[in-house]
Amino acid sequence: MNPVATWRRLLAEFVGTALLVTAVVGSGVMATTLSPDDVGLQLLENSVATAFALGALILTFGRVSGAHFNPVVSAADWFLGRRTGTGMSAAHLGGYAIAQTLGAIAGSILANLMFDLAAVDFSGKDRSAGHLWLGEVVATTGLILLIFALARSGRSTVAPAAVGAYIGGAYWFTSSTSFANPAVTIGRAFTDTFAGIAPASVPSFIGAQIIGLVVGAGLLLALYPGVGQSADEVVVHQDATEPAAPAARR
């Protein structure tokens, strides 16, 4: 039995977050191309593609890194598990956040290139308004509650479907269309397409997501006092060790 190497976990977070943002941005471009005069249909197409892609990516990378793809999820894992020793270390938290952010930027660039757009074209879509920030607080709070409640109740195996469904639904019931992810927020500033966000709007969105993290963690501690004991099962059960694979499979 060998520990999962740190570089493999970081690579999984980088690639997984990159593919997630590629799905968000790419499906947004496709939606505006196919349904240029119907914003509601564009959002439906964008949200369905994102929900399905997120579930698939959690299944793909969950056994390597936990498939966080999100700094607030990693931060909650560190905070809630720090006393029981089940959460990630502060060093791993920093590494995850960097890998996730770089992956999100790479994913936005990849989507731009796939649709024959400029590799980097900073968004001009302003998303600065109090009701949007409130939407981000709600979206992030709900995401943190869902992920850690599933882990604590022994249902982390349904996380791919549940998290994908939640994000797909939150596209519609939050005013902000549920970014709920600082790394993805930064990445989406690099594309001037349907899914973009103006760079000037990014800090406020991230601030709202951090508030959502704090609220979500507080509610978890109130509702599930022992939630920290399951921090090592977020998002999909993360084994501390894995069987040595045959050379042909490595």
Side-chain angles (χ1 to χ4, degrees):
M1 303 289 281
N2 300 313
V4 178
T6 298
W7 72 266
R8 293 176 66 187
R9 297 172 66 181
L10 296 179
L11 178 61
E13 288 296 301
F14 175 87
V15 175
T17 309
L19 291 176
L20 173 59
V21 175
T22 300
V24 173
V25 174
S27 63
V29 176
M30 184 65 79
T32 55
T33 301
L34 297 176
S35 310
D37 301 317
D38 192 333
V39 178
L41 188 54
Q42 291 170 7
L43 185 61
L44 177 62
E45 293 160 350
N46 189 210
S47 62
V48 169
T50 299
F52 284 147
L54 178 55
L57 290 170
I58 292 173
L59 285 172
T60 301
F61 297 102
R63 300 295 288 189
V64 180
S65 68
H68 293 189
F69 310 148
N70 189 336
V72 295
V73 173
S74 300
D77 185 77
W78 164 78
F79 175 75
L80 294 171
R82 72 194 190 288
R83 292 183 178 176
T84 57
T86 54
M88 65 195 321
S89 67
H92 278 137
L93 169 59
Y96 267 46
I98 292 171
Q100 291 156 356
T101 302
L102 293 177
I105 294 171
S108 194
I109 292 172
L110 177 59
N112 286 339
L113 292 174
M114 282 201 302
F115 286 92
D116 198 26
L117 303 173
V120 174
D121 188 9
F122 291 109
S123 177
K125 186 173 292 187
D126 179 67
R127 297 181 188 262
S128 296
H131 68 284
L132 300 179
W133 303 334
L134 178 59
E136 279 301 284
V137 173
V138 172
T140 309
T141 297
L143 180 64
I144 296 299
L145 279 172
L146 171 64
I147 289 172
F148 287 86
L150 288 175
R152 181 55 182 154
S153 58
R155 295 175 292 165
S156 60
T157 54
V158 304
V163 174
Y166 174 81
I167 291 298
Y171 260 77
W172 290 89
F173 72 72
T174 64
S175 55
S176 63
T177 64
S178 184
F179 284 46
N181 186 326
V184 168
T185 303
I186 292 171
R188 287 169 66 166
F190 285 73
T191 181
D192 193 19
T193 59
F194 181 79
I197 178 173
S201 300
V202 169
S204 296
F205 258 56
I206 293 177
Q209 291 156 2
I210 292 172
I211 293 173
L213 163 63
V214 173
V215 174
L219 287 172
L220 280 166
L221 290 172
L223 296 169
Y224 298 91
V227 65
Q229 298 173 10
S230 304
D232 59 346
E233 297 195 21
V234 174
V235 172
V236 175
H237 178 67
Q238 171 61 43
D239 289 327
T241 58
E242 62 176 5
R249 296 177 55 192
R250 286 177 185 255

